[in-house]
Amino acid sequence: MTRVRKIAFEEHYTAVGFGDYSRAFVQHLDPATAAELGARLTDFGQDRLDLMDRAGIDYVILSQTGPGVQGERDPAIALKRARENNDFLAGQVAQRPDRYGAFATLPMHDPATAAAELERAVTELGFKGALVNGHTNGVYYDDPAYDVFWQRLQDLDVPLYLHPFYAYVEPHAYRGHPELAGATWGWGVETATHTLRLIFGGVFDRYPGVKLILGHMGEGLPFQRWRFDSRFAAYPYGVKLQRKPSEYIGANVLITTSGVCSHATLVGAIAEMGAEAVMFSIDYPYESTELAVEFIETAPLDEATRELVCRGNAQRLFKL
């Protein structure tokens, strides 16, 4: 079978010292699975490349696995580790720039510091944007203090991937049900809520060129677009937006297929957002590359749409 050529960009790695941050969710895995994930996360060599070749993946953009420095309390340590991490990743990418690109790790504890590190990563290291693992110690980025960051992101014309992690305070409804707090449910709710804060907080009105990427088929947001418009019109609570809420989802908010290998969901997301707003990714190594590839190559899409989802949209977004 001729493989559809692909680009993927929710594809993770880790570096020395960052395992301390990710222990929060790795501790819930059995030891053998955790060890295998660790080996894959630290591999930049032939094993990862061979898997990409078998899957027809020409290029991946690598990002530090969660929660990264969003899990760090000390802003100074967060900046130090982010810069070290970005320099390390730049060195790995430089060995295979034909196959690897990079998302920056950002210390979002201070907006101006995050903006400066983003600019360094993009202009000096050649990074394609940044991936941030949700809130930073309970702070969300609709806060007007982060306008300096959004302005810099827009000026640099690179996207931000908003990746999930736990809520800052566990909701009462999750108590006694730890399975709800993480990737099965809570992470998606947390990330979707953060995105809605950005929409209703006017971030995309102030910075209409900003592109935000969500994984996991948009964390459910594409399928509530109509209701957002209906209920916001009925209960605006004094909030003013330049467009309907739905119009930001597909224009400023783009999504990947990572971790949701459902043909019905894919077709629905494209119907809601348009074919140019949906992009293939895997969530490697937490999801199966083989399963994700079979899913996208057998999806009920015409070939022009499949080409856009698999590579064309990413080529345009990342200027590849």
Side-chain angles (χ1 to χ4, degrees):
M1 179 176 70
T2 301
R3 288 291 191 197
V4 179
R5 309 314 302 176
K6 305 169 196 72
I7 294 166
F9 52 94
E10 191 183 327
E11 318 310 316
H12 302 299
Y13 77 97
T14 196
V16 173
F18 280 76
D20 295 341
Y21 298 131
S22 58
R23 189 175 297 129
F25 61 90
V26 174
Q27 67 182 343
H28 299 298
L29 302 174
D30 67 83
T33 300
E36 181 180 353
L37 285 172
R40 292 190 175 206
L41 286 166
T42 55
D43 171 40
F44 298 88
Q46 204 56 48
D47 287 346
R48 189 188 286 255
L49 292 168
D50 286 346
L51 182 58
M52 289 168 57
D53 289 340
R54 292 194 298 273
I57 299 171
D58 293 331
Y59 187 79
V60 299
I61 299 176
L62 299 170
S63 54
Q64 172 61 245
T65 193
V69 296
Q70 273 64 70
E72 175 56 58
R73 290 279 181 182
D74 188 319
I77 294 174
L79 173 60
K80 178 177 182 291
R81 285 197 161 182
R83 289 179 64 93
E84 290 173 349
N85 186 80
N86 293 333
D87 289 342
F88 169 83
L89 182 55
Q92 297 297 324
V93 169
Q95 296 180 44
R96 289 305 304 263
D98 57 323
R99 306 302 302 275
Y100 295 151
F103 278 144
T105 292
L106 296 180
M108 298 294 284
H109 307 61
D110 175 73
T113 300
E117 182 58 15
L118 173 69
E119 182 166 8
R120 184 183 81 92
V122 172
T123 61
E124 297 181 21
L125 303 180
F127 283 20
K128 303 301 183 184
L131 182 144
V132 169
N133 293 286
H135 63 82
T136 297
N137 299 320
V139 176
Y140 293 89
Y141 312 133
D142 60 306
D143 186 320
Y146 282 87
D147 279 6
V148 63
F149 173 79
W150 296 115
Q151 180 70 64
R152 195 72 54 88
L153 191 77
Q154 178 173 266
D155 291 346
L156 291 167
D157 193 22
V158 295
L160 178 73
Y161 204 123
L162 187 62
H163 188 273
F165 203 58
Y166 291 102
Y168 183 59
V169 177
E170 181 180 271
H172 176 74
Y174 297 171
R175 290 179 186 172
H177 284 274
E179 72 280 5
L180 296 181
T184 300
W185 178 249
W187 289 3
V189 172
E190 169 69 20
T191 307
T193 302
H194 196 160
T195 302
L196 291 174
R197 289 181 65 119
L198 299 176
I199 291 173
F200 291 112
V203 168
F204 302 119
D205 286 345
R206 296 193 298 278
Y207 305 101
V210 164
K211 294 291 189 290
L212 185 80
I213 306 169
L214 301 179
H216 319 115
M217 214 69 83
E219 314 291 2
L221 290 180
F223 309 99
Q224 294 291 321
R225 290 172 74 248
W226 190 93
R227 183 165 177 80
F228 294 148
D229 291 349
S230 169
R231 294 305 85 201
F232 179 61
Y235 307 104
Y237 293 100
V239 173
K240 306 287 187 182
L241 292 178
Q242 295 175 8
R243 292 175 279 167
K244 294 178 180 179
S246 65
E247 294 178 27
Y248 301 92
I249 302 171
N252 300 98
V253 179
L254 312 175
I255 73 171
T256 76
T257 64
S258 64
V260 181
C261 295
S262 161
H263 288 165
T265 308
L266 173 63
V267 170
I270 291 173
E272 281 288 344
M273 302 178 67
E276 295 190 346
V278 181
M279 295 167 282
F280 173 76
S281 282
I282 297 167
D283 202 355
Y284 178 86
Y286 300 100
E287 297 283 355
S288 165
T289 296
E290 293 82 1
L291 182 61
V293 166
E294 179 185 12
F295 150 72
I296 201 63
E297 292 188 346
T298 59
L301 306 176
D302 62 73
E303 290 313 303
T305 300
R306 196 186 320 275
E307 169 69 16
L308 281 175
V309 172
C310 284
R311 64 182 293 116
N313 292 331
Q315 285 178 314
R316 182 182 69 253
L317 181 63
F318 298 110
K319 307 176 186 66
L320 300 176

XYZ file of all heavy atoms in Angstrom, residues 76-130:
415
model
N 12.393 31.529 38.373
C 13.796 31.555 37.944
C 14.240 30.173 37.475
O 14.933 30.039 36.453
C 14.685 32.056 39.074
N 13.840 29.138 38.206
C 14.177 27.776 37.794
C 13.460 27.430 36.498
O 14.018 26.780 35.606
C 13.827 26.770 38.909
C 14.704 27.008 40.139
C 13.977 25.330 38.416
C 14.338 26.159 41.335
N 12.211 27.873 36.366
C 11.447 27.600 35.149
C 12.143 28.201 33.930
O 12.251 27.551 32.883
C 10.030 28.145 35.281
N 12.618 29.428 34.055
C 13.322 30.067 32.936
C 14.613 29.326 32.617
O 14.908 29.046 31.441
C 13.626 31.526 33.269
C 14.497 32.257 32.244
C 13.841 32.272 30.870
C 14.793 33.679 32.720
N 15.372 28.981 33.650
C 16.633 28.276 33.436
C 16.397 26.940 32.728
O 17.068 26.626 31.733
C 17.324 28.046 34.776
C 18.631 27.269 34.707
C 19.260 27.169 36.100
C 20.593 26.433 36.055
N 20.419 24.992 35.744
N 15.432 26.177 33.202
C 15.174 24.863 32.602
C 14.573 24.987 31.207
O 14.855 24.161 30.337
C 14.260 24.040 33.517
C 15.000 23.508 34.737
C 14.232 22.380 35.400
N 15.116 21.589 36.261
C 14.735 20.520 36.928
N 13.477 20.097 36.837
N 15.586 19.850 37.677
N 13.745 25.981 30.991
C 13.179 26.175 29.657
C 14.278 26.485 28.656
O 14.318 25.919 27.549
C 12.141 27.290 29.680
N 15.184 27.376 29.008
C 16.272 27.735 28.086
C 17.186 26.533 27.834
O 17.586 26.277 26.692
C 17.070 28.915 28.647
C 16.311 30.234 28.621
C 17.135 31.364 29.217
N 18.326 31.620 28.410
C 18.388 32.524 27.425
N 17.314 33.233 27.105
N 19.499 32.704 26.746
N 17.527 25.800 28.887
C 18.356 24.602 28.723
C 17.653 23.581 27.833
O 18.277 22.960 26.962
C 18.662 23.995 30.085
C 19.603 24.831 30.937
C 19.748 24.287 32.357
O 18.975 23.388 32.745
O 20.646 24.772 33.081
N 16.362 23.413 28.070
C 15.584 22.453 27.301
C 15.526 22.845 25.824
O 15.688 22.011 24.930
C 14.175 22.363 27.876
C 13.341 21.290 27.221
O 13.469 20.115 27.542
N 12.465 21.677 26.300
N 15.297 24.124 25.566
C 15.221 24.582 24.180
C 16.567 24.468 23.469
O 16.620 24.085 22.288
C 14.706 26.020 24.138
C 13.250 26.113 24.587
O 12.492 25.156 24.457
N 12.870 27.253 25.135
N 17.640 24.754 24.175
C 18.969 24.589 23.577
C 19.253 23.115 23.286
O 19.819 22.774 22.235
C 20.040 25.154 24.510
C 20.009 26.673 24.596
O 19.415 27.306 23.695
O 20.555 27.218 25.570
N 18.862 22.244 24.217
C 19.044 20.804 24.013
C 18.266 20.331 22.786
O 18.795 19.612 21.933
C 18.580 20.045 25.252
C 18.468 18.559 25.060
C 19.589 17.744 25.166
C 17.245 17.969 24.762
C 19.497 16.374 24.976
C 17.141 16.597 24.576
C 18.274 15.801 24.673
N 17.010 20.738 22.687
C 16.190 20.302 21.562
C 16.732 20.846 20.243
O 16.737 20.135 19.230
C 14.742 20.739 21.767
C 13.747 20.311 20.691
C 13.771 18.802 20.464
C 12.334 20.767 21.052
N 17.201 22.084 20.256
C 17.787 22.645 19.039
C 18.964 21.803 18.570
O 19.151 21.590 17.354
C 18.232 24.086 19.285
N 19.760 21.286 19.507
C 20.884 20.431 19.146
C 20.439 19.120 18.532
O 21.059 18.612 17.585
N 19.357 18.556 19.041
C 18.832 17.317 18.476
C 18.274 17.543 17.074
O 18.521 16.748 16.156
C 17.739 16.741 19.385
C 18.215 16.342 20.768
C 19.251 15.230 20.737
O 19.188 14.332 19.905
N 20.210 15.295 21.645
N 17.533 18.620 16.894
C 16.952 18.927 15.591
C 18.037 19.194 14.551
O 17.909 18.813 13.381
C 15.992 20.130 15.714
C 15.565 20.648 14.337
C 14.762 19.742 16.537
N 19.117 19.834 14.993
C 20.195 20.167 14.053
C 20.827 18.922 13.438
O 21.397 18.990 12.338
C 21.261 20.993 14.774
N 20.708 17.776 14.118
C 21.271 16.547 13.566
C 20.419 15.963 12.456
O 20.923 15.239 11.594
C 21.438 15.519 14.691
C 22.432 15.947 15.762
C 22.576 14.915 16.851
O 22.667 13.707 16.581
N 22.603 15.360 18.103
N 19.097 16.254 12.460
C 18.203 15.763 11.421
C 17.141 16.825 11.093
O 15.947 16.610 11.287
C 17.519 14.463 11.865
C 18.419 13.247 11.920
C 19.164 12.966 10.608
N 18.310 12.817 9.444
C 17.896 11.648 8.959
N 18.259 10.526 9.558
N 17.151 11.615 7.883
N 17.545 17.977 10.597
C 16.570 19.039 10.322
C 15.593 18.692 9.214
O 14.551 19.345 9.088
C 17.459 20.227 9.936
C 18.723 19.602 9.423
C 18.921 18.375 10.258
N 15.923 17.683 8.422
C 14.993 17.236 7.378
C 13.820 16.458 7.948
O 12.775 16.339 7.295
C 15.732 16.371 6.357
C 16.423 15.174 7.003
O 16.938 15.312 8.129
O 16.462 14.096 6.363
N 13.950 15.932 9.172
C 12.901 15.092 9.770
C 12.295 15.698 11.031
O 11.153 15.364 11.364
C 13.460 13.701 10.121
C 14.138 12.958 8.986
C 13.255 12.740 7.773
N 12.028 11.998 8.055
C 11.975 10.653 8.084
N 13.074 9.927 7.885
N 10.824 10.046 8.316
N 13.061 16.548 11.724
C 12.606 17.070 13.007
C 12.515 18.585 12.989
O 13.380 19.280 12.449
C 13.576 16.692 14.128
C 13.704 15.221 14.433
C 14.901 14.702 14.940
C 12.645 14.340 14.253
C 15.037 13.358 15.247
C 12.772 12.986 14.551
C 13.971 12.505 15.044
O 14.105 11.174 15.342
N 11.439 19.088 13.626
C 11.326 20.491 13.985
C 11.082 20.569 15.480
O 11.051 19.551 16.178
N 10.861 21.775 15.999
C 10.782 21.928 17.453
C 9.732 22.952 17.855
O 9.551 23.982 17.209
C 12.141 22.351 18.000
N 9.046 22.633 18.973
C 8.225 23.583 19.710
C 8.991 23.988 20.963
O 9.556 23.142 21.660
C 6.904 22.956 20.139
C 5.826 22.939 19.094
C 4.954 21.865 19.018
C 5.661 23.989 18.205
C 3.937 21.842 18.078
C 4.650 23.971 17.252
C 3.782 22.898 17.191
N 8.944 25.266 21.290
C 9.633 25.771 22.472
C 8.892 25.400 23.747
O 7.660 25.345 23.784
C 9.775 27.284 22.386
N 9.660 25.176 24.792
C 9.160 25.130 26.163
C 9.222 26.550 26.711
O 10.250 27.217 26.572
C 10.036 24.200 27.016
O 9.856 22.861 26.565
C 9.682 24.288 28.481
N 8.134 27.020 27.328
C 8.082 28.419 27.754
C 7.769 28.548 29.245
O 6.840 27.904 29.748
C 7.015 29.180 26.965
C 7.247 29.317 25.461
C 6.107 30.091 24.828
C 8.586 29.977 25.155
N 8.513 29.418 29.948
C 8.220 29.709 31.356
C 7.127 30.776 31.424
O 7.403 31.975 31.487
C 9.556 30.232 31.881
C 10.176 30.906 30.676
C 9.693 30.165 29.459
N 5.865 30.331 31.455
C 4.745 31.269 31.382
C 4.470 31.960 32.715
O 3.490 32.710 32.834
C 3.497 30.521 30.906
C 3.621 29.924 29.518
S 3.773 31.162 28.197
C 2.080 31.740 28.085
N 5.317 31.765 33.708
C 5.158 32.397 35.008
C 5.148 33.922 34.880
O 4.460 34.604 35.640
C 6.292 31.972 35.937
C 6.469 30.491 36.048
N 6.783 29.696 34.967
C 6.384 29.654 37.120
C 6.868 28.428 35.363
N 6.628 28.385 36.649
N 5.927 34.434 33.931
C 5.987 35.870 33.682
C 5.779 36.095 32.179
O 6.544 35.567 31.365
C 7.335 36.446 34.113
C 7.456 37.912 33.761
O 6.803 38.733 34.430
O 8.164 38.232 32.774
N 4.770 36.870 31.789
C 4.452 37.011 30.363
C 5.593 37.580 29.530
O 5.847 37.094 28.415
C 3.239 37.942 30.368
C 2.622 37.771 31.722
C 3.763 37.525 32.650
N 6.272 38.601 30.026
C 7.351 39.212 29.250
C 8.525 38.246 29.097
O 9.153 38.173 28.031
C 7.810 40.508 29.913
N 8.819 37.487 30.137
C 9.888 36.495 30.066
C 9.533 35.402 29.064
O 10.377 34.973 28.264
C 10.125 35.879 31.449
O 10.494 36.915 32.369
C 11.222 34.826 31.408
N 8.283 34.960 29.084
C 7.835 33.941 28.123
C 7.927 34.461 26.703
O 8.352 33.739 25.787
C 6.409 33.510 28.446
N 7.528 35.705 26.497
C 7.596 36.301 25.161
C 9.038 36.376 24.668
O 9.325 36.098 23.492
C 6.964 37.689 25.180
N 9.947 36.743 25.547
C 11.354 36.848 25.163
C 11.937 35.484 24.813
O 12.697 35.358 23.841
C 12.153 37.499 26.292
N 11.587 34.452 25.580
C 12.111 33.114 25.283
C 11.489 32.562 24.007
O 12.167 31.876 23.225
C 11.863 32.169 26.457
C 12.407 30.763 26.253
C 13.900 30.696 25.973
O 14.626 31.695 26.206
O 14.350 29.617 25.506
N 10.223 32.864 23.768
C 9.610 32.481 22.502
C 10.350 33.114 21.336
O 10.674 32.437 20.350
C 8.141 32.907 22.486
C 7.421 32.722 21.148
C 7.247 31.244 20.829
C 6.067 33.440 21.167
N 10.625 34.395 21.439
C 11.320 35.084 20.347
C 12.717 34.501 20.128
O 13.142 34.292 18.986
C 11.412 36.581 20.632
C 12.068 37.358 19.513
C 11.878 38.850 19.623
O 11.359 39.326 20.653
O 12.236 39.560 18.664
N 13.421 34.213 21.215
C 14.748 33.606 21.081
C 14.650 32.259 20.378
O 15.430 31.947 19.463
C 15.393 33.430 22.457
C 16.828 32.892 22.404
C 17.376 32.662 23.798
N 16.926 31.397 24.362
C 17.602 30.238 24.254
N 18.748 30.185 23.571
N 17.134 29.140 24.819
N 13.680 31.445 20.803
C 13.549 30.104 20.238
C 13.213 30.161 18.749
O 13.729 29.360 17.958
C 12.487 29.321 20.994
N 12.370 31.098 18.360
C 11.946 31.185 16.961
C 13.018 31.830 16.097
O 13.382 31.312 15.033
C 10.611 31.952 16.855
C 10.261 32.228 15.391
C 9.492 31.164 17.528
N 13.546 32.969 16.543
C 14.454 33.734 15.670
C 15.883 33.226 15.702
O 16.587 33.294 14.690
C 14.429 35.222 16.054
O 14.878 35.382 17.403
C 13.032 35.801 15.911
N 16.329 32.685 16.851
C 17.708 32.218 16.951
C 17.845 30.708 16.759
O 18.827 30.245 16.166
C 18.311 32.611 18.309
C 18.399 34.114 18.529
C 19.021 34.464 19.868
O 19.734 33.604 20.451
O 18.783 35.590 20.353
N 16.844 29.951 17.256
C 16.944 28.496 17.209
C 16.138 27.884 16.070
O 16.275 26.692 15.798
C 16.488 27.891 18.543
C 17.227 28.375 19.802
C 16.679 27.685 21.034
C 18.730 28.152 19.677
N 15.288 28.678 15.427
C 14.527 28.180 14.290
C 13.316 27.346 14.656
O 12.831 26.551 13.838
N 12.769 27.528 15.856
C 11.626 26.735 16.289
C 10.369 27.158 15.537
O 10.254 28.271 15.044
C 11.409 26.880 17.793
C 12.378 26.070 18.626
C 13.581 25.614 18.116
C 12.086 25.779 19.951
C 14.465 24.866 18.884
C 12.956 25.045 20.739
C 14.151 24.577 20.205
N 9.393 26.239 15.493
C 8.171 26.433 14.705
C 7.024 27.018 15.515
O 5.920 27.194 14.984
C 7.722 25.098 14.109
C 8.774 24.424 13.233
C 9.190 25.298 12.061
C 10.180 24.582 11.160
N 10.667 25.470 10.067
N 7.232 27.317 16.756
C 6.199 27.809 17.662
C 6.490 27.292 19.048
O 7.649 27.034 19.401
N 5.450 27.111 19.848
C 5.639 26.644 21.224
C 4.488 25.734 21.619
O 3.395 25.805 21.054
C 5.713 27.837 22.177
